[in-house]
Amino acid sequence: MSKLLEVLRGFSVTLWVGGLWAVGYLVAPSLFSILADNHVLAGALAGKLFRNIAWVGIACGGFLLLQEILSFRGKSVTRPVFWLVLLMLAITCTMQFWLQPFMVALRALGTPMDTLASPPIMRSFAFWHGISSLLYLCESLLGLVLVLKSR
């Protein structure tokens, strides 16, 4: 692997995983603490930051996957790093393109949405926020493993 690709790889892992941890566990909780009297504003700002770091993850994850495939060709699928990046990217895309828009729609309609035929738990913003938080935690922990494996 060329020196430039090695540097870009390290930068991508650092930016993605560091961003996940900084936004999710430092910035977002701080927003809710500082804006304790305005949870709507704190939520809007945190949501924007989560969307931004998702785009960073999509770019970095795409680069890392491409780099793995080009560097190791058919053997890339036997490497744990390939699967870590692929799983993290799948979680990011699931949250960015399905879960977050769904939660925005739930919030806009208000919860619970008694007019829908689905069970109340499936209509609850809090339920889906919990699922989102769990997925984010999983992605963050996978990112920690990625950092350790990338050394």
Side-chain angles (χ1 to χ4, degrees):
M1 179 175 2
S2 77
K3 186 67 174 169
L4 177 61
L5 277 180
E6 199 173 306
V7 169
L8 288 174
R9 185 184 196 316
F11 177 75
S12 294
V13 170
T14 302
L15 181 62
W16 189 8
V17 177
L20 280 172
W21 284 82
V23 169
Y25 306 108
L26 295 174
V27 178
S30 295
L31 285 172
F32 283 94
S33 175
I34 293 166
L35 300 170
D37 59 335
N38 194 342
H39 281 268
V40 173
L41 178 58
L45 291 171
K48 179 67 174 167
L49 291 169
F50 283 118
R51 283 188 297 279
N52 289 346
I53 198 60
W55 284 113
V56 168
I58 290 166
C60 291
F63 168 77
L64 291 168
L65 269 184
L66 184 62
Q67 187 271 325
E68 280 285 314
I69 291 167
L70 293 176
S71 295
F72 299 99
R73 300 205 175 17
K75 294 182 181 179
S76 61
V77 296
T78 64
R79 294 175 39 84
V81 169
F82 174 85
W83 292 105
L84 281 168
V85 171
L86 186 63
L87 187 53
M88 288 176 66
L89 193 53
I91 291 170
T92 298
C93 288
T94 299
M95 290 176 58
Q96 178 76 350
F97 300 118
W98 180 75
L99 190 55
Q100 294 302 326
F102 178 72
M103 289 172 54
V104 167
L106 276 180
R107 180 56 94 194
L109 291 171
T111 55
M113 297 182 304
D114 297 325
T115 59
L116 298 180
S118 60
I121 190 81
M122 300 304 280
R123 299 187 307 253
S124 168
F125 178 84
F127 173 80
W128 290 106
H129 188 275
I131 296 296
S132 177
S133 297
L134 186 61
L135 285 171
Y136 197 88
L137 175 62
C138 290
E139 184 179 7
S140 300
L141 294 175
L142 289 169
L144 178 61
V145 175
L146 178 62
V147 168
L148 295 174
K149 291 277 188 191
S150 295
R151 296 177 65 200

